[in-house]
Amino acid sequence: MIKLRQVSFAAAFAAFALPAAAAPFECPARGGDLVMGISAQLPGIDPMFFPALITNQVARNMFEHLITRDENLNPVLDLAEAVEESPDKLSYTFKLRPGVKFHNGKTMTARDVAASFSRFKKLATNAALAPAEGWEAKDDLTFVVRLKAPAPMFLDGLSAVGALVVIMPEETPDLPNGERFRPVGTGPFEFVEWVPDSHVKLRRFAGYVANPKFEQRNGFSGRKVACVDTVTFKVVPEPAARIAGLERGDLDLVDDLPFKEAQVLKGNRNVALAPVKNWWNHHVQTNLQMAPTNNIAFRRAVQAALDMREIMEFSTDGAYSIHPGWLFPGQEYYTDIGKELYNQKNAARARQLLQEAGYRGEEVIIATNTTYPSHHAAAQVMAEQMKAVGINVKLSVTDWAAQLR
């Protein structure tokens, strides 16, 4: 996939970049409204309740974390200025940065952090990414997390892109997207409005103070500086419309374009093409509670039947690679363990496993969406491959927001 960026706005967002430079980052210019064309409608604006990539993309400009990730996906302190693991590895003590302000003018304390952890545990579908037995505010700037058992990956989980234990004021209501919910964070941009199916608008938070430990951006951490007055995330689902918006100057930035379609912009001097090799991955989330997918032999049968290259050839325009890991090759935690079970393309083995599972033709529903055409295409090919080995498959097609719900 291709991510596009207009050259003059290269540093327009909250600039997330490298520590240790000659001088602190300063905006080359200030002011104006940056308009970004996004490819999907937001299912909601509460990142704790809606883990969708598009919600995350917008929310990261408003909210911050105790700990986040740098350019190399290593955990980096953000709202915390120090963290200490207990000798028994059953607790972590975070010292918070003093003087951090919320968008409503309130100074952040450990009570807000504790309330945010409680809210995340109650609302998030992926709360297991930050496993903990309990937490407490020891004083205004000291927050302690207690674990049931040692968890060597605790800080990695807490800083994961999908964890989203964002820090909100303690008075934030539990109900997401209700009349009383208004996004209030500590990030460099604050919320202005959300019009579903249309746009989300943010403005520079005048009270934001960048992390003093950094001079440049570093992944999602570092010295974050808002160079523009406002940012408008405009929903433009059609790739052709996003291309036209860039060519007309209606859009300054778009988040995703098919590789081949983006080539028409190569001759446009006002647009910079930025190839992103590992933009996303296609994966299947299985319902482990409902038959027949609660049967491991059935799941292994599906795994044996799939031809991954055929799926990706049909669902992309050739800009893909296949590999057995959840993370991408070259990343620190990448592994190819289990590669012998990946991309088997073995129909005979699939049918044998279906017999072992006692499969009797029960309907299997594959939920997909039309918001992302590659999702829909991949699901279509997967369904046909499963039908070819005798599985009764039905496609359920909605939009992305409905699918997440």
Side-chain angles (χ1 to χ4, degrees):
M1 297 298 179
I2 292 291
K3 182 167 65 174
L4 303 179
R5 179 175 61 192
Q6 190 161 333
V7 178
S8 61
F9 287 95
F13 271 114
F16 305 121
L18 304 168
F25 171 83
E26 296 294 341
C27 298
R30 282 185 176 271
D33 179 38
L34 179 69
V35 182
M36 178 173 181
I38 56 177
S39 53
Q41 175 191 346
L42 278 75
I45 52 176
D46 185 344
M48 288 192 182
F49 190 75
F50 297 98
L53 175 64
I54 199 70
T55 296
N56 187 344
Q57 183 174 315
V58 174
R60 282 190 175 274
N61 294 278
M62 297 184 285
F63 295 104
E64 296 178 299
H65 310 70
L66 290 180
I67 183 170
T68 186
R69 296 290 179 96
D70 67 9
E71 293 279 358
N72 298 313
L73 296 181
N74 298 310
V76 178
L77 294 173
D78 194 9
L79 291 176
E81 64 179 11
V83 60
E84 181 179 351
E85 183 185 60
S86 64
D88 62 5
K89 304 185 183 302
L90 291 177
S91 68
Y92 289 83
T93 299
F94 294 87
K95 287 294 184 181
L96 306 182
R97 284 166 43 201
V100 174
K101 296 288 187 180
F102 285 109
H103 300 150
N104 61 7
K106 175 185 174 181
T107 300
M108 182 192 73
T109 72
R111 291 186 299 278
D112 300 300
V113 177
S116 296
F117 268 65
S118 296
R119 188 178 189 273
F120 178 80
K121 200 73 173 180
K122 179 177 181 179
L123 293 181
T125 57
N126 54 359
L129 287 172
E133 183 177 39
W135 41 82
E136 63 176 323
K138 298 289 284 187
D139 57 47
D140 281 355
L141 295 177
T142 307
F143 174 69
V144 179
V145 177
R146 298 184 304 277
L147 308 182
K148 295 179 180 179
M153 301 296 290
F154 173 71
L155 293 180
D156 291 82
L158 189 61
S159 64
V161 173
L164 289 178
V165 190
V166 296
I167 306 307
M168 302 178 177
E170 61 178 323
E171 61 270 19
T172 303
D174 286 341
L175 295 176
N177 290 352
E179 292 182 3
R180 293 186 299 129
F181 179 78
R182 181 180 176 85
V184 175
T186 62
F189 287 95
E190 61 180 325
F191 178 77
V192 176
E193 66 177 359
W194 172 40
V195 180
D197 297 320
S198 175
H199 67 274
V200 179
K201 189 163 190 173
L202 314 179
R203 65 173 168 243
R204 180 194 295 118
F205 173 39
Y208 184 77
V209 178
N211 191 329
K213 292 184 179 294
F214 293 88
E215 293 187 330
Q216 298 291 309
R217 66 183 187 268
N218 191 352
F220 290 118
S221 70
R223 182 178 173 83
K224 307 170 195 173
V225 181
C227 298
V228 295
D229 294 329
T230 62
V231 177
T232 301
F233 295 88
K234 187 174 182 180
V235 180
V236 187
E238 292 297 327
R242 296 199 295 280
I243 289 175
L246 284 169
E247 291 179 318
R248 291 193 306 267
D250 298 336
L251 303 175
D252 302 306
L253 181 78
V254 302
D255 67 350
D256 176 36
L257 284 179
F259 181 81
K260 290 181 180 178
E261 294 184 40
Q263 301 313 299
V264 302
L265 294 166
K266 273 192 170 181
N268 190 326
R269 296 181 179 181
N270 295 319
V271 178
L273 295 174
V276 181
K277 182 178 180 181
N278 296 327
W279 176 242
W280 58 13
N281 60 15
H282 283 68
H283 61 275
V284 177
Q285 293 177 315
T286 308
N287 187 331
L288 302 180
Q289 306 300 317
M290 183 182 296
T293 50
N294 62 346
N295 186 314
I296 190 170
F298 178 87
R299 299 198 300 272
R300 287 174 174 167
V302 174
Q303 188 177 35
L306 298 183
D307 181 339
M308 305 304 182
R309 193 170 297 281
E310 184 179 64
I311 292 172
M312 294 307 296
E313 282 287 348
F314 188 77
S315 62
T316 73
D317 43 20
Y320 73 91
S321 61
I322 61 173
H323 57 85
W326 175 255
L327 298 178
F328 297 109
Q331 294 180 337
E332 183 175 357
Y333 297 112
Y334 173 77
T335 178
D336 63 1
I337 292 175
K339 62 182 178 181
E340 67 279 2
L341 300 176
Y342 179 75
N343 198 30
Q344 296 176 58
K345 301 177 289 185
N346 191 333
R349 175 61 176 157
R351 293 188 183 98
Q352 178 186 348
L353 286 165
L354 288 175
Q355 287 184 339
E356 293 179 15
Y359 179 65
R360 295 293 182 268
E362 298 92 337
E363 185 177 72
V364 177
I365 299 174
I366 298 179
T368 187
N369 67 89
T370 53
T371 303
Y372 294 105
S374 64
H375 291 193
H376 186 210
Q380 287 178 303
V381 180
M382 180 180 173
E384 292 305 312
Q385 292 178 357
M386 292 168 63
K387 289 176 183 177
V389 298
I391 300 174
N392 178 16
V393 180
K394 174 185 175 182
L395 276 183
S396 174
V397 184
T398 61
D399 61 20
W400 181 236
Q403 185 181 346
L404 287 174
R405 292 191 185 100

